[in-house]
Amino acid sequence: MPNKRQLIIGIHLAVHGEQDKKGAMIEEQIAFAKRAEAAKLDFVFKADYLIAHPELMAKTKGTVGLEPSFLLALVARETQQIGLVTTISTSFTPPYLIARQLQTLNWISNGRVGWNVVTSIDGASNFSNDPMPSSEERYAKAAESINVVQQLWHSHPSEILEANGDLEKIKELIRPIDYNGKFFNIKGPLNIPMHPAGDIPLFQAGASEVGRQFAATVSNAIFAATPTMDVGIEMRNDLRKRAVEAGRSADDIRLLPGLYFFIGDTYEEALEMHQQAHAHLTLERRYAALVSVIGLDVRHLALQDRVTVDLLPPKDQKVRSKTHAHLVRRYIMENKPTVEELLARPEVIGSAHLVAIGTPQDIVQQIVTFYDKGAFDGFIAVPGGPAKSLDLFFNEVIPMLVERGLFRADYEGSTLRSHLGLDVLLPN
């Protein structure tokens, strides 16, 4: 085993409209989170998008995409122990607002919040007339933003609650941060006390060179695209090495890829679920997706023609996601796939999640194998297929992992920090 910790398992809070059910679907989302809590998962996770994606709207079938922190505040009031990981962009949200919003949510949930730090790969046109900054500049701004946010949290310590109106004690405890940096100049202090649970755990999504370094330096976990075992092993080893070089422990950073699952009573049933989930993707949409991901147009080739290295466009061209582009380039270089195989890859038709298709036993074996080989520390479950697939995940896959000693039978604490094995300041 890669270490003695059990698996870390979160799940994407994915509720989609069906037939006559449309809108915000608040009750359904709360029920989903309660079900995840009953399974003792570490956290529910909510992604966020700062532009309108027609493709996402088509996929979610009439479900309104709410701002994640507001939604998780509702979920917090209806749950007791499961962690709540929200997404906030450092590219467009001021640090003071981030610090206040997260600390508010931490109080509402009693210490169960995590922050998925994103630098955003688009959306600048919705906040200013400036073009999107380079990846390097976005990550530099993110690092400074996190520094400011954490200073603001500590500028108003939880001990203030014991001051009992003592003005001198309050003035002694609450101090400005007087921060002056490249991107921010902020006086502080924050106007809400830090929750006694301690620093809010940080998550980061992205696997580019600058993203890996950022995650290894500041994050507790990274959500990364690792569609194969080899990619996962290489990334996890690299992240752990970088963490040590940054003065941290190798175990301070956890690799948590998305596990996009389709589960049936038979492999054939699960495969049919996967095919149905992607039936809406026409050949032309797959061609267009490949162009978007890597800048490669293969429309002139037959579906059985092989895509070879000499067909790859220059590496320095501008792409939407360096992570996905790197994965597709690597797949082509190592496999020389047919056009048909390439157009079916998750990095092209989806978001490069690790895809799991099969019976509950198949899925458990895949999870165990990846964990034993050191390809991840856990995963973010991304439900695919009909309700039956999710039922089998909760009712059979998770209990099997508990039986094998790879996952908890019950919570040992009540904060996200305790679930992740971080130091906890609150008693259980």
Side-chain angles (χ1 to χ4, degrees), residues 50-215:
L50 298 177
I51 66 173
H53 284 288
E55 294 82 3
L56 182 62
M57 296 174 194
K59 183 178 180 181
T60 54
K61 302 177 182 179
T63 303
V64 176
L66 301 176
E67 196 283 326
S69 297
F70 283 109
L71 174 61
L72 290 178
L74 293 173
V75 172
R77 296 296 298 159
E78 301 293 333
T79 55
Q80 286 75 47
Q81 291 177 285
I82 193 166
L84 310 167
V85 179
T86 189
T87 299
I88 303 177
S89 172
T90 55
S91 295
F92 307 118
T93 315
Y96 195 94
L97 181 59
I98 294 174
R100 189 173 187 231
Q101 184 172 317
L102 286 170
Q103 210 54 249
T104 297
L105 190 53
N106 218 24
W107 278 103
I108 292 172
S109 66
N110 199 24
R112 293 186 282 133
V113 171
W115 175 20
N116 177 36
V117 181
V118 295
T119 61
S120 300
I121 59 177
D122 48 29
S125 60
N126 290 329
F127 294 88
S128 71
N129 293 321
D130 298 328
M132 284 298 300
S134 67
S135 175
E136 290 72 19
E137 183 175 349
R138 296 200 310 273
Y139 274 106
K141 185 176 183 180
E144 189 170 314
S145 176
I146 289 173
N147 184 11
V148 174
V149 167
Q150 291 179 327
Q151 286 191 43
L152 285 168
W153 286 339
H154 288 272
S155 72
H156 195 151
S158 59
E159 288 80 4
I160 196 68
L161 301 176
E162 306 301 325
N164 294 320
D166 185 331
L167 183 59
E168 293 306 313
K169 185 67 173 178
I170 292 172
K171 290 181 177 179
E172 177 185 335
L173 288 171
I174 303 180
R175 295 180 176 274
I177 65 172
D178 293 321
Y179 183 89
N180 294 288
K182 178 180 179 181
F183 298 98
F184 307 109
N185 295 283
I186 297 173
K187 181 180 180 181
L190 192 63
N191 63 347
I192 181 173
M194 184 174 180
H195 191 277
D199 282 309
I200 292 171
L202 303 180
F203 298 77
Q204 192 261 327
S208 64
E209 172 68 21
V210 64
R212 292 186 186 202
Q213 188 60 33
F214 178 80

Side-chain angles (χ1 to χ4, degrees), residues 11 261 263 379 381 389-398:
I11 192 166
F261 63 84
I263 312 174
F379 55 87
S389 178
L390 185 61
D391 290 342
L392 289 172
F393 175 77
F394 281 129
N395 298 337
E396 297 195 29
V397 171
I398 294 299

Side-chain angles (χ1 to χ4, degrees), residues 206-208 224-225 235 319 321-328:
S208 64
M235 184 178 295
V319 294
S321 169
K322 290 183 178 180
T323 298
H324 290 184
H326 171 74
L327 290 170
V328 174

